[in-house]
Amino acid sequence: MKNIEAIVYTSNTGYSEQYARLLGEKTNLPVYSLSESGAEKGTSVIYIGWLMAGFVSGYDKAKKRYSVEAIIGVGMGETGTQLEAVRKNNKVPGSVPVFVLQGGFDMNKLKGIYKFMMKLMVKKLKKDYDGRTDLSEGEEAIVDMLYNGGSYVNEKHLDKVLEWYNN
Ligand SMILES: Cc1cc2nc3c(=O)[nH]c(=O)nc-3n(C[C@H](O)[C@H](O)[C@H](O)COP(=O)(O)O)c2cc1C
């Protein structure tokens, strides 16, 4: 088991928070939002943030305050994808594991610039997926989110994180 003291998260529409709480239940670690600064400075944490154009939101702030031992990005994309891009974009050191989990998407929960950005992105992604018949389960989920919105938060997506944590 890793020497981690807490889980800290940033969530815009709630899906990353759901993963933080699920992981908290599985590990018995306390869970704090980054904004409430509940964990003391220097605490060893797993950091969870929603993915915004490949960036894990809040990570820059989190790494200044905490010792981030693992980073989890929550996005629309499939669990286990975007890993190299996330590592590179966020300048995550090689010693820190990166995980990506499929969360959820709901246009109605977005406001302002985020809503504007996602309207463009949804249009583009719908075109990319249009007519494809070879979709994986995770890609089917993306298409469903694009057209209907919804949550794909599921504890099965935490398997790799728990495998790492328990070893
Ligand atoms: C502006 C914007 C950019 C996004 N960029 C990505 C992305 O790069 N990769 C991805 O998988 N999902 C992306 N998403 C989808 C969100 O990460 C996804 O809906 C996530 O579950 C939101 O988590 P939250 O509910 O904790 O805020 C983006 C969403 C928004 C609004």
Side-chain angles (χ1 to χ4, degrees):
M1 200 135 87
K2 298 282 181 300
N3 193 17
I4 310 253
E5 297 164 290
I7 296 162
V8 173
Y9 71 88
T10 297
S11 185
N12 181 39
T13 56
Y15 305 113
S16 306
E17 178 176 359
Q18 286 175 30
Y19 273 122
R21 303 220 174 272
L22 270 175
L23 190 57
E25 281 167 25
K26 303 255 170 216
T27 57
N28 279 323
L29 291 169
V31 177
Y32 303 103
S33 81
L34 181 65
S35 56
E36 74 184 340
S37 305
E40 274 179 37
K41 220 173 168 203
T43 301
S44 293
V45 305
I46 296 173
Y47 182 70
I48 305 182
W50 64 283
L51 282 177
M52 191 186 73
F55 289 89
V56 178
S57 48
Y59 174 58
D60 278 349
K61 188 174 165 196
K63 73 182 179 193
K64 283 185 195 139
R65 185 169 166 85
Y66 303 114
S67 173
V68 176
E69 307 294 328
I71 174 167
I72 302 176
V74 175
M76 285 177 86
E78 275 185 278
T79 293
T81 62
Q82 309 179 74
L83 297 174
E84 277 319 303
V86 168
R87 180 177 293 286
K88 202 168 154 214
N89 291 339
N90 298 277
K91 299 192 176 70
V92 182
S95 57
V96 175
V98 172
F99 301 94
V100 165
L101 310 181
Q102 191 160 44
F105 174 70
D106 186 347
M107 190 67 91
N108 297 322
K109 289 185 177 172
L110 294 175
K111 293 189 188 111
I113 182 75
Y114 295 153
K115 190 164 198 154
F116 176 76
M117 285 168 76
M118 280 316 276
K119 278 196 173 156
L120 298 178
M121 186 51 73
V122 165
K123 223 183 229 175
K124 183 194 173 297
L125 287 172
K126 278 181 176 169
K127 256 192 208 152
D128 290 348
Y129 283 108
D130 194 27
R132 276 189 54 191
T133 52
D134 57 342
L135 299 182
S136 65
E137 196 187 332
E139 288 172 319
E140 300 263 11
I142 297 172
V143 173
D144 182 36
M145 283 186 262
L146 292 173
Y147 282 92
N148 307 310
S151 174
Y152 278 85
V153 173
N154 189 306
E155 63 178 39
K156 74 178 180 189
H157 294 302
L158 286 169
D159 283 355
K160 285 239 161 75
V161 178
L162 289 168
E163 198 180 295
W164 164 80
Y165 178 75
N166 289 318
N167 274 305

